[in-house]
Amino acid sequence: MNPDSRNKRSSSLSEHGFTLLEVIVVMGIFMAIIIISSEAFKRIISVSSQQTKSAESDTQGIVGLEMMRVDMQHAGYGLPWRLDFVAEFDESQSAVDSLAPGINSKLFNDKYNKTSDANKTPRAIQARAAVSTVYAENGRDYLVIKSILAGMNDTVRKWSYVEGVGAASVLKEWGSAEDLAANEIVVTLDSRTKRLVADSVAADHFSYAITTAHMTPPDAPANFRPQNDMDVYVVYGVSPATALRVPYNRVDYYVKRPAAAADIPARCAPGTGILYKAVMSHADGLTVQYPLLECVADMQVVFSLDTNGDGGVDAHFDENGLSDLTAKEIRQQLKEIRVYIASHEGGKDTSFQYASPTLEVGDFALGRTLDLNELTGSEYKNYRWKIYRLVVSPKNIIY
């Protein structure tokens, strides 16, 4: 073919362009590629979002439940074992149902405990199940812990002891930030008997405010000073400045769904709530609530006890297992506190199918079988349910 012929053929092709069929085929190929890429991108975004939410749930669980574990481990820290008066202490003043639905938090005040010793010595830990007509609320356990360390302030980590006798007594200084400071409110225990150094339920009879770093006259009332060389008085910080209503702190743990929809994440399944830590205020007996874990379906408590005194666990009881025990019996028998919290990771995932309509919350045939369909409805299948287990040996019940 000569050059002129080739030029004519090339010119002819350029003038005609692509056929309609060719354009449709190419467009179809591009559309298929775009659709495939779009679906892949959507799946990547969905998986990434789910993993991010799961990671958030795990992080929240670790932080929030670690606070709960520490409080359980220190249950009973600084509590008196002996009182020389009847302790009509007014702890919680929260109204019925104001914290957890189906719970009267005042019933955990030891002044109402009919099975305790005659002087109503405070019990380190108690629990009870909520009684409600709503399935999501009914049967959830409510946990109460009493100890000096249960307060949310730096003062509770401070302690010292009294040196000297009578008017010559002073408070031991550590020479650091751990020294008790002016205005901090303290209580005093006799280390030999664990007796609360006090003569009545009145606040100024069982506590006093630090006015200087030394407990020199007239800083401390006379009855807070050792009377002989055999007395060893240990002093615990309880509050930064507020006058005490009881000689210890108290926290309540429970699950509830906030009344306002904006107060719980949209990713949480219907029927689930938030695990709260409520710290008692000495000013009025009400509480400050701290959310610890979101999307919680249930909380169950199991106590492991040594009922025969051989040093090992021989019985497991549900949340009512300590209700008939005195403070002394709890100290002698309680070996483990087990808490089971049912929740879900991340949010709703329509591509995921949870296998069972029920969830076992507990061990040793204690706790309960949670009906997820009753709690959440048929959407329960699209959530990744899990159980957080806390097994804690209280280290400070006997100290």
Side-chain angles (χ1 to χ4, degrees):
M1 182 180 293
N2 59 46
D4 291 339
S5 298
R6 285 198 299 269
N7 289 337
K8 289 180 180 180
R9 179 174 177 80
S10 175
S11 175
S12 176
L13 290 173
S14 298
E15 291 174 358
H16 284 85
F18 295 105
T19 66
L20 179 61
L21 179 59
E22 289 172 332
V23 172
I24 292 174
V25 170
V26 171
M27 289 180 63
I29 293 172
F30 275 115
M31 288 180 65
I33 293 172
I34 291 171
I35 291 171
I36 293 171
S37 300
S38 176
E39 288 299 318
F41 184 71
K42 285 171 61 179
R43 180 167 291 277
I44 290 170
I45 292 297
S46 176
V47 171
S48 175
S49 176
Q50 181 63 39
Q51 289 178 341
T52 299
K53 290 177 181 177
S54 294
E56 289 175 354
S57 299
D58 288 341
T59 301
Q60 190 182 65
I62 292 170
V63 175
L65 297 184
E66 178 63 14
M67 295 177 65
M68 188 178 191
R69 185 193 66 78
V70 169
D71 280 339
M72 290 193 296
Q73 191 173 56
H74 292 105
Y77 177 84
L79 286 191
W81 292 12
R82 174 184 145 192
L83 299 173
D84 291 341
F85 56 91
V86 178
E88 298 289 341
F89 289 132
D90 280 320
E91 298 173 27
S92 173
Q93 298 301 304
S94 298
V96 178
D97 296 331
S98 64
L99 298 180
I103 288 289
N104 181 0
S105 63
K106 293 182 182 179
L107 295 180
F108 296 94
N109 298 358
D110 279 297
K111 68 179 293 183
Y112 302 120
N113 179 23
K114 295 181 175 61
T115 63
S116 188
D117 57 69
N119 285 348
K120 301 181 180 178
T121 306
R123 296 169 296 172
I125 190 163
Q126 288 289 298
R128 189 167 298 172
V131 179
S132 172
T133 57
V134 180
Y135 179 82
E137 301 167 352
N138 190 46
R140 285 174 175 164
D141 284 352
Y142 188 100
L143 181 67
V144 173
I145 296 170
K146 300 173 188 179
S147 80
I148 297 290
L149 288 174
M152 297 282 283
N153 60 73
D154 292 335
T155 302
V156 301
R157 290 184 283 275
K158 298 181 180 181
W159 71 279
S160 187
Y161 61 89
V162 185
E163 297 179 307
V165 177
S169 62
V170 295
L171 201 60
K172 169 66 178 178
E173 288 187 90
W174 307 112
S176 69
E178 299 306 312
D179 284 332
L180 289 159
N183 298 320
E184 292 183 317
I185 314 297
V186 300
V187 297
T188 305
L189 266 63
D190 183 334
S191 68
R192 292 179 300 168
T193 62
K194 305 299 188 296
R195 173 182 65 90
L196 180 68
V197 178
D199 54 19
S200 81
V201 74
D204 58 354
H205 287 208
F206 66 76
S207 67
Y208 67 92
I210 297 291
T211 55
T212 68
H214 296 281
M215 193 176 76
T216 54
D219 291 353
N223 61 309
F224 293 106
R225 306 177 193 137
Q227 301 305 304
N228 59 68
D229 291 335
M230 298 299 292
D231 290 335
V232 180
Y233 283 5
V234 180
V235 178
Y236 296 95
V238 182
S239 169
T242 306
L244 305 185
R245 62 189 308 110
V246 296
Y248 46 84
N249 289 301
R250 167 175 158 175
V251 290
D252 297 19
Y253 284 94
Y254 52 89
V255 178
K256 75 170 180 179
R257 191 173 182 90
D263 292 337
I264 188 167
R267 67 179 179 84
C268 292
T272 61
I274 295 175
L275 173 66
Y276 286 95
K277 171 180 178 174
V279 182
M280 181 194 69
S281 167
H282 284 279
D284 54 16
L286 302 179
T287 64
V288 179
Q289 301 180 72
Y290 298 91
L292 299 185
L293 183 63
E294 299 164 343
C295 308
V296 177
D298 194 19
M299 181 176 78
Q300 296 293 309
V301 179
V302 174
F303 296 115
S304 300
L305 274 61
D306 170 19
T307 61
N308 59 17
D310 66 357
V313 173
D314 58 67
H316 303 281
F317 295 92
D318 63 12
E319 68 281 347
N320 296 312
L322 305 183
S323 60
D324 293 332
L325 301 183
T326 64
K328 181 178 180 180
E329 290 169 334
I330 292 173
R331 293 196 304 269
Q332 292 173 333
Q333 298 183 30
L334 182 61
K335 298 301 179 184
E336 286 182 344
I337 309 164
R338 294 170 173 262
V339 175
Y340 306 84
I341 297 173
S343 184
H344 63 75
E345 292 182 334
K348 183 178 180 181
D349 184 355
T350 55
S351 66
F352 175 79
Q353 290 286 307
Y354 189 74
S356 173
T358 61
L359 192 61
E360 296 299 326
V361 190
D363 276 321
F364 312 110
L366 298 170
R368 67 167 171 171
T369 300
L370 185 66
D371 188 330
L372 296 173
N373 188 60
E374 182 76 17
L375 175 75
T376 301
S378 59
E379 293 182 358
Y380 79 87
K381 298 177 181 178
N382 301 134
Y383 293 91
R384 291 175 168 81
W385 298 98
K386 67 179 295 182
I387 300 291
Y388 293 96
R389 290 177 172 83
L390 295 178
V391 181
V392 176
S393 296
K395 302 297 185 183
N396 289 281
I397 287 183
I398 296 181
Y399 57 95

